[in-house]
Amino acid sequence: LELFSVPAGGLVCTEHGNPEDALCCPLLSSDAEAMRFMMAHPLSRLESLALDGQAEQRIQKLLRSYYSYHLGIDKLKSEGLSI
């Protein structure tokens, strides 16, 4: 289990993050690896990333918290698009 700090913008150790803090999300190691993959590869390679539905939901929730905090946006217009 790792921690993703929304204000810090990334993974933090338990010494610098508090899992009780609403803006510090516990993150499974597999989800952290998936996010590292997303950052390191172009969007066209995301199809090769095999995420189950629960992992996808956890990552989407974390990313929504991230852009809501940093950009002041509660929902992106593109979230309503079907791909």
Side-chain angles (χ1 to χ4, degrees):
L1 187 66
E2 300 186 47
L3 296 174
F4 186 93
S5 170
V6 172
L11 294 174
V12 294
C13 65
T14 53
E15 183 177 321
H16 292 98
N18 178 0
E20 304 295 321
D21 183 350
L23 293 175
C24 195
C25 312
L27 191 65
L28 296 175
S29 294
S30 58
D31 294 350
E33 286 299 318
M35 292 178 69
R36 285 183 187 105
F37 180 91
M38 289 183 226
M39 290 188 312
H41 296 86
L43 290 176
S44 60
R45 293 273 317 271
L46 292 183
E47 290 179 0
S48 65
L49 186 61
L51 292 176
D52 64 37
Q54 290 179 337
E56 187 176 328
Q57 288 176 351
R58 287 189 303 268
I59 292 170
Q60 282 181 351
K61 181 180 176 184
L62 186 143
L63 293 175
R64 280 188 195 108
S65 296
Y66 179 83
Y67 64 69
S68 176
Y69 179 88
H70 288 282
L71 301 176
I73 299 171
D74 289 328
K75 185 173 182 179
L76 296 176
K77 290 180 183 179
S78 61
E79 285 187 81
L81 299 176
S82 297
I83 298 176

